[in-house]
Amino acid sequence: MLRRRLRNGLVTVNMSIRRLPPELINRIAAGEVVERPASALKELIENALDAGANQVGVRLHAGGLGLIEVADDGCGMAAEEMRLALERHATSKLPQDSIDRITSFGFRGEALPSIASVSRLTMESRVRGADGWRIAIDHGAAAGEGPAALPPGTRVKVEGLFDKVPARRKFLRSPRAEYAACLDSVKRLAMARNDVGFALDHDGRRILTLAPAEAPVRVAELLTHELDRHGIGIDCARASMRLTGVISLPTFNRGVADQQFLFVNSRPVKDRLLVGALRAAYRDLIARDRHPIAALFLEVPLEEVDVNVHPAKTEVRFRDPQAVRGLIVGGLRHALDEESGRSAAREQAAAPVMWTTSATYDQALNRHPRESGDSPVLSTLEERQAPAFAGVTVLAEDQRLFAEAPAARAEPAVEPVPSFPLGVARGQVAATYIVAEAEDGLVIVDQHAAHERLVLERMRAAREGGAIARQALLIPEVIELDEPDCDRLEGASADLADLGLETERFGPTSMLVRSVPAVLGKTDVAGLLSDLAAEIAELGGPLSLRDKLDHVAATIACHGSVRAGRILSVAEMNALLREMEVTPRSGQCNHGRPTWVKLGHSEIQKLFGRR
Ligand SMILES: Nc1ncnc2c1ncn2[C@@H]1O[C@H](COP(=O)(O)OP(=O)(O)OP(=O)(O)O)[C@@H](O)[C@H]1O
Ligand SMILES: [Mg+2]
């Protein structure tokens, strides 16, 4: 080989083509198939499942960096098969070489040789009725074989993964982080195959024991049992596709998207199309930095999907991606819309109700809120047992404690209480919350969150009905913004005009606003424009016009809403409550937070120890 340094510093090489030695080919393949312990673990579990295991046992040390061991009670292999299994492209899983009709997890015959080329691997296996055998490989080289004693099935042990591959080693994270990734791999496969039992040990500690169970039970065990209350079951079909599973109510969300489990024909995938569709279904029900919890199982005919597109087999390609997206967005959206009614009717089971346990009472009684010492001032209603202060009279000199309550105002009670689901307004607290009395309890409404939702739904209804009323400004306003923001707004001006916001470019760094959506009333136009510009910048991607308009409408709605801090008249409060009752999706604001909570009479009684 001849190297020559060019003036620009690059090196050219006179190349002669040669075949790579097999160990090197294996290592290159390994780099793609096994990135980290979790990917090796995933391959081993997949092999166990493909072998028909009913029970899979996993043992890890140091997040898989020390040891990964997977034992199964599957079909096992004879010695000769074991030797073949460790060769590249040797697989038992493609009958008639039908790469387009794959039903097993594996199909390439690459995983074992790849792992064996970057670790010390020992494989023991035994076919029922025969003797067991053991083969050891040290970084791709044979390291001995012989008889082994084990129950029918296979046990693969991987030690010192990447110890001799510094380029990979460098990218590994702490054992803790690698362990988290391993746990994720186990969970995904355990969800994919709820009919199989799993056990996981890490550093000698039992982490998971899963008996075979129905899919919803398995999912609940691995996600959170809270989904029993905060989840929505999904079961929908279109043409030859079917989608089942569970998603969380918008109010039950997370700061990271780490609880989204997606499967195509029982194969765990991390596919962008599917993640995007899930996101789109929650559009405007959840803040952009919050994420729903989901376990979704998509069944499609084998010929509709190609699984051979990604080295780790975690992405797929659909023949008709739009149909898949349509099924997911449509199916989830429908379920979420139905649920918006149910959650409102169910006394907001969707939102864990936080209620102050009277710390003031506890102070008045001169003792700690809880004897245990971890003194939570807030506890959820569900957790709360009969309060300890039952029956004790509060001393007169402690009355001052109550003087520190937030400023509030109340209206004289009207008799009888008309039967509105959200009740009649009784007052306003902290100029932010409306307190209302319903037949069956006490309702607290976040006025800004609720109103924002109403404005958005009004705009949406108006748009669907044809046009959004606009209100011309007497004197058009000129708004100064930076140039990229102006470019963005100019590019979106047709869409914005559809929403009632007429703008025009007015020089390099300013926009002229001629009209605003009538629903907004008097509004801070400059603030609105700069928020919209940011919104458009963030949306950027290839979203449909409809998707975009909804986002933009949500931003506009936020501006047009009564702010927290505004004093409302009783008539205004009641009008808000009545409109909420008839508006779809009014149980949560555009950011997925609840707009109201209800405390039932029985819960109030419990708080006061009357039950
Ligand atoms: N736990 C196991 N029990 C029984 N046979 C196994 C087991 N693990 C591997 N094998 C056999 O070894 C072969 C090679 O396994 P390997 O994981 O390398 O490739 P694969 O599963 O066929 O394809 P892929 O590379 O896509 O995973 C398999 O086809 C299977 O026949
Ligand atoms: Mg495999």
Side-chain angles (χ1 to χ4, degrees), residues 238 241 273 318-327:
R238 186 181 288 185
M241 300 184 294
L273 172 95
F318 295 102
R319 217 172 63 174
D320 187 354
Q322 280 315 314
V324 172
R325 190 184 150 89
L327 170 67

Side-chain angles (χ1 to χ4, degrees), residues 322-579:
Q322 280 315 314
V324 172
R325 190 184 150 89
L327 170 67
I328 299 177
V329 178
L332 301 194
R333 192 69 194 184
H334 179 74
L336 285 164
D337 280 354
E338 297 241 296
E339 204 60 26
S340 72
R342 199 185 97 195
S343 65
R346 270 196 320 171
E347 306 205 345
Q348 204 64 27
V353 180
M354 300 297 275
W355 197 255
T356 312
T357 62
S358 303
T360 40
Y361 277 103
D362 285 305
Q363 283 165 18
L365 301 175
N366 217 354
R367 57 148 204 244
H368 296 294
R370 289 209 180 152
E371 305 300 340
S372 64
D374 55 356
S375 69
V377 174
L378 294 174
S379 71
T380 66
L381 262 186
E382 288 85 1
E383 278 169 12
R384 197 172 159 73
Q385 303 302 317
F389 50 76
V392 179
T393 323
V394 179
L395 301 174
E397 60 257 47
D398 289 308
Q399 290 290 347
R400 59 180 171 78
L401 288 169
F402 302 106
E404 289 161 15
R409 63 207 189 82
E411 304 297 326
V414 186
E415 287 292 340
V417 181
S419 58
F420 293 118
L422 295 180
V424 287
R426 288 287 179 230
Q428 194 184 17
V429 178
T432 303
Y433 304 102
I434 298 167
V435 178
E437 181 182 359
E439 262 178 329
D440 53 347
L442 176 66
V443 176
I444 304 175
V445 176
D446 178 329
Q447 66 191 43
H448 173 66
H451 193 242
E452 185 180 304
R453 186 79 215 174
L454 297 182
V455 173
L456 173 62
E457 293 297 337
R458 263 186 240 156
M459 289 184 67
R460 197 181 267 165
R463 211 177 72 228
E464 270 157 24
I468 289 181
R470 54 187 68 176
Q471 181 190 330
L473 300 178
L474 284 180
I475 307 163
E477 256 188 76
V478 177
I479 309 292
E480 291 289 328
L481 293 158
D482 65 14
E483 198 162 346
D485 277 351
C486 289
D487 292 344
R488 288 183 189 111
L489 290 167
E490 192 182 4
S493 61
D495 293 353
L496 295 177
D498 270 359
L499 293 166
L501 185 70
E502 281 179 300
T503 57
E504 227 172 77
R505 187 69 178 247
F506 198 70
T509 58
S510 46
M511 299 294 294
L512 187 74
V513 180
R514 293 196 180 279
S515 78
V516 296
V519 281
L520 287 194
K522 217 170 123 48
T523 190
D524 160 23
V525 183
L528 172 61
L529 250 57
S530 98
D531 279 5
L532 281 175
E535 171 83 31
I536 294 164
E538 207 168 303
L539 287 173
L543 279 168
S544 74
L545 184 70
R546 201 192 128 81
D547 283 340
K548 266 189 200 157
L549 286 182
D550 251 346
H551 275 292
V552 172
T555 302
I556 294 178
C558 182
H559 272 264
S561 308
V562 283
R563 294 282 159 190
R566 206 182 107 192
I567 307 285
L568 299 176
S569 72
V570 175
E572 283 174 314
M573 291 191 273
N574 278 321
L576 192 73
L577 296 177
R578 298 295 79 78
E579 192 172 347

Side-chain angles (χ1 to χ4, degrees), residues 43 47-48 51 72 75-77 85 90-93 106-113 154 313:
E43 295 293 340
N47 281 348
D72 66 61
C75 63
M77 285 169 278
T91 178
S92 58
K93 301 177 192 171
F107 49 84
R108 310 157 305 179
E110 270 193 353
L112 283 177
T154 303
K313 300 174 282 188

